[in-house]
Structures are given as structure tokens and as C-alpha cells.
Amino acid sequence: MSKVLDVAEDRTRIMDNIERATIIELLEARELFETGIVELAAKRATEEDIAEIEAAFEKWGEIDLDGDRSKPDQAFHLSIAKATHNVVLVNMIELHMDLLQRTLSKTAQIPGRKSEVYEEHLLIVQAIKERDPVKAKLALLNHLSKVRENIQRNYIHV
């Protein structure tokens, strides 16, 4: 193999490692940030909020693997943020959406992942419906832990 090819492969490997580290750091930030949101949503959600969360969740579940999952996924996360009744948190989630899409694009094509995410999201919805902030936080942490595992398992090029 030529030196030029070696250098190109090294650069690709380095860029992959940086991107993976960035996504792992994003997941760490999401753990801190979104746990507070789901806890608050579980405490403050009105019946209308819960209906909106459920509708967004059902719409997300109807998307096939080839469809654009970004909009329904954004709507789902945004509906939970709106249930906090905190305008700052809603705006922060809206800003956060572009970053969230990086994670989604990395894990969307993993076989079987969509149905796993559906189940993980369902646990979050149920906890909010039950108005159980601790259960909501644990469900979110479980989901983000699975996302992290999938990123590490499928995108490690060291």
C-alpha cells in the first residue's frame, strides 16, 4: 500500500474518531439536559400535553426505515419539552435538534434499531403519562445508554 493511501486512511480514521467522540459528548450532554426535561414534563404535563406527546410518538412509529425520520423525531422531543411549560427549555430543545439529528443519522440504518427505539420511547411516554418523574428519567437514561452502545458498537474505527 502506498504512503499516500496510508495517510488518507489515517485521516479518515482520525475524522471518524473525532466524530464519534463528538457524538458521545453530545449524548453525555443529552443525559444531563433531557433528564431534567422529562422529569419536569412528568410533573407538569396536562392532558392536552400528553395527547400531543402520544400523537407525536405514534407518528414517529409509523415512519418506515426509508422515510425521513427527522421531522417526527423532532416533533416527539419537542412535544415533551412543551409539556414542561418552560419556554427556555422548549427553545433549547429546538436549538438542540440539529445536533440530535447527527445521532439519529448514525443509528437509523442499524438493523432492528427502529423497533428498539420505539420501545425505548414508549417507556418514556408511559412514565410521563403516569406522572412519574423518576421513571421518566430512568427511561430516558436507558434510551440514551442504548444509543451510546450502538454508536460505540457500530462506529468504532480504531
Side-chain angles (χ1 to χ4, degrees):
M1 202 179 289
S2 73
K3 278 209 176 277
V4 174
L5 213 50
D6 286 346
V7 169
E9 283 182 1
D10 282 347
R11 282 199 177 132
T12 301
R13 182 181 51 78
I14 290 167
M15 291 308 292
D16 285 348
N17 286 341
I18 289 170
E19 184 174 53
R20 188 180 69 257
T22 303
I23 290 173
I24 295 300
E25 287 177 1
L26 169 63
L27 288 169
E28 189 175 77
R30 285 182 65 188
E31 286 171 5
L32 296 171
F33 177 61
E34 290 184 46
T35 51
I37 287 175
V38 296
E39 285 178 308
L40 210 50
K43 291 176 188 173
R44 294 183 177 173
T46 64
E47 290 303 318
E48 293 80 18
D49 294 328
I50 289 171
E52 188 178 332
I53 291 167
E54 288 183 307
F57 172 69
E58 285 167 20
K59 198 168 190 177
W60 183 91
E62 292 166 6
I63 302 301
D64 61 26
L65 269 180
D66 299 326
D68 178 11
R69 291 173 49 194
S70 61
K71 295 289 186 256
D73 199 61
Q74 287 179 5
F76 176 69
H77 287 275
L78 199 54
S79 67
I80 293 172
K82 285 180 181 174
T84 68
H85 297 272
N86 180 314
V87 176
V88 175
L89 292 175
V90 172
N91 283 295
M92 289 175 79
I93 275 287
E94 285 178 333
L95 290 171
H96 177 72
M97 282 299 145
D98 289 341
L99 293 172
L100 191 128
Q101 289 319 113
R102 289 176 60 82
T103 312
L104 184 63
S105 69
K106 283 289 183 197
T107 58
Q109 302 308 316
I110 297 170
R113 185 65 190 132
K114 183 182 184 289
S115 60
E116 290 174 1
V117 171
Y118 183 86
E119 294 300 321
E120 292 159 21
H121 279 181
L122 178 60
L123 293 175
I124 296 168
V125 172
Q126 288 172 336
I128 292 171
K129 252 180 109 163
E130 293 168 17
R131 309 226 188 300
D132 188 333
V134 174
K135 193 172 178 181
K137 177 181 179 175
L138 292 173
L140 177 78
L141 288 173
N142 173 61
H143 169 56
L144 294 178
S145 159
K146 301 281 191 206
V147 172
R148 180 188 296 253
E149 283 172 24
N150 275 283
I151 291 288
Q152 289 175 325
R153 186 180 322 117
N154 293 281
Y155 294 97
I156 292 183
H157 305 290
V158 287

